[in-house]
Amino acid sequence: MTFDRSPYFNQVRRVVVKIGSGVLTGADGLNNAVIDQLSHQINDLLDSGIEVLLVSSGAMAAGQKKVGLYRRPDEIPRRQAVAAVGQAGLMLTYETAFARYDRKVAQILLTNDDLSVSRRRYLNARNTLHTLLSWQVLPIINENDTVVVEEIKFGDNDNLSALIALMMNADLLINLTDIDSLYTGDPRSDPAAEKIEVVENINRKIETVASDMPGVLGTGGMLSKIRAARKVTAAGIPMVIANGKDEDIVKKL
């Protein structure tokens, strides 16, 4: 099926880019080469006049490597501690990467309460993001893992990126993951799985074929991305799922 994406992409003035843990991290922690490549592409978007809000995973995965854990902890307090270790390193890596282009970055940590429960917090967060964009500072947004508890957590940054896109009236949501696309099955275990290039209607069939298996480092699987897509497309915001490790993926899009 041939699908012309240009009408959706040519008019973009504000974009939310979500980068998953599977893209940002490798065997030894943060993958600096990938972060450098993506920061270069995001800087090109900024240079072209497009406003960018970056939703970045990776804090917990980075902290997990630093403290020597082979997998993500199950207990909330241990997750909070791991995230606290990793978040500082994640932001330092981004700050260093964007400093090459004389770009300033800002850290924004949010909980579900901030966007879904408290109107005052919602407006404060939105006003802060608008101010940063007006100052041409790149907001780097993550869930506030160090204080989150089970009742208020977003669950994954796929959902957070959708809420940010809705709050900021973005023109496009780009979800960069470690898999190329939505498939008819899980391509990691099903060699016959075929890529689904375009989804015009998110229905039960689409949710059924979406894998809900999270990666080793992430919390959200393909099903969480489809649920995020349902949120934004209902408001007229298209979403793209792409492999963040592909060379120049943002430029290609």
Side-chain angles (χ1 to χ4, degrees):
M1 176 180 180
T2 301
F3 183 76
D4 183 11
R5 293 179 172 85
S6 59
Y8 298 96
F9 286 72
N10 291 344
Q11 304 302 316
V12 169
R13 292 297 174 264
R14 179 177 293 165
V15 60
V16 175
V17 179
K18 183 264 179 178
I19 310 177
S21 294
V23 176
L24 293 171
T25 55
D28 299 319
L30 290 175
N31 190 329
N32 290 330
V34 169
I35 292 175
D36 287 345
Q37 183 189 98
L38 288 172
S39 63
H40 176 71
Q41 296 174 64
I42 290 171
N43 182 69
D44 284 347
L45 288 184
L46 294 167
D47 279 344
S48 72
I50 294 175
E51 294 179 331
V52 180
L53 298 108
L54 177 59
V55 177
S56 177
S57 302
M60 201 173 298
Q64 179 181 317
K65 296 294 183 182
K66 281 188 176 182
V67 299
L69 298 177
Y70 70 94
R71 70 176 184 88
R72 181 186 296 264
D74 295 324
E75 304 87 352
I76 289 288
R78 297 188 71 192
R79 288 191 179 193
Q80 291 170 330
V82 167
V85 172
Q87 186 67 35
L90 178 66
M91 284 306 301
L92 178 60
T93 302
Y94 274 125
E95 191 166 42
T96 301
F98 281 101
R100 298 186 180 100
Y101 314 105
D102 199 26
R103 292 282 180 191
K104 296 180 176 62
V105 301
Q107 175 180 259
I108 305 290
L109 299 176
L110 298 169
T111 67
N112 191 48
D113 270 7
D114 298 322
L115 300 187
S116 302
V117 177
S118 170
R119 179 67 176 170
R120 180 177 58 83
R121 292 189 201 173
Y122 174 92
L123 293 174
N124 285 343
R126 188 180 67 177
N127 291 339
T128 298
L129 290 172
H130 277 296
T131 300
L132 290 170
L133 293 180
S134 72
W135 289 348
Q136 297 186 341
V137 174
L138 174 67
I140 300 178
I141 307 160
N142 198 357
E143 184 169 12
N144 194 351
D145 292 309
T146 56
V147 301
V148 76
V149 294
E150 191 69 27
E151 291 79 10
I152 62 174
K153 69 178 184 176
F154 290 108
D156 57 70
N157 276 347
D158 296 321
N159 184 42
L160 174 57
S161 66
L163 293 177
I164 293 296
L166 292 169
M167 179 173 72
M168 298 299 292
N169 295 315
D171 300 304
L172 177 68
L173 171 57
I174 298 175
N175 192 309
L176 298 180
T177 182
D178 55 358
I179 193 169
D180 294 337
S181 175
L182 173 66
Y183 285 81
T184 56
D186 188 342
R188 294 166 293 188
S189 57
D190 180 6
E194 297 180 356
K195 184 183 292 186
I196 301 174
E197 295 283 356
V198 180
V199 176
E200 295 181 349
N201 180 31
I202 300 174
N203 51 33
R204 191 171 186 85
K205 180 180 178 181
I206 292 297
E207 289 189 342
T208 299
V209 302
S211 169
D212 61 356
M213 294 173 56
V216 175
L217 295 171
T219 56
M222 186 56 68
L223 184 57
S224 74
K225 291 167 180 54
I226 294 303
R227 288 171 174 167
R230 182 192 289 277
K231 284 186 173 71
V232 294
T233 55
I237 302 172
M239 174 173 147
V240 177
I241 298 171
N243 194 326
K245 292 185 177 180
D246 283 355
E247 186 175 359
D248 290 335
I249 184 60
V250 176
K251 290 183 180 180
K252 290 175 183 176
L253 290 174

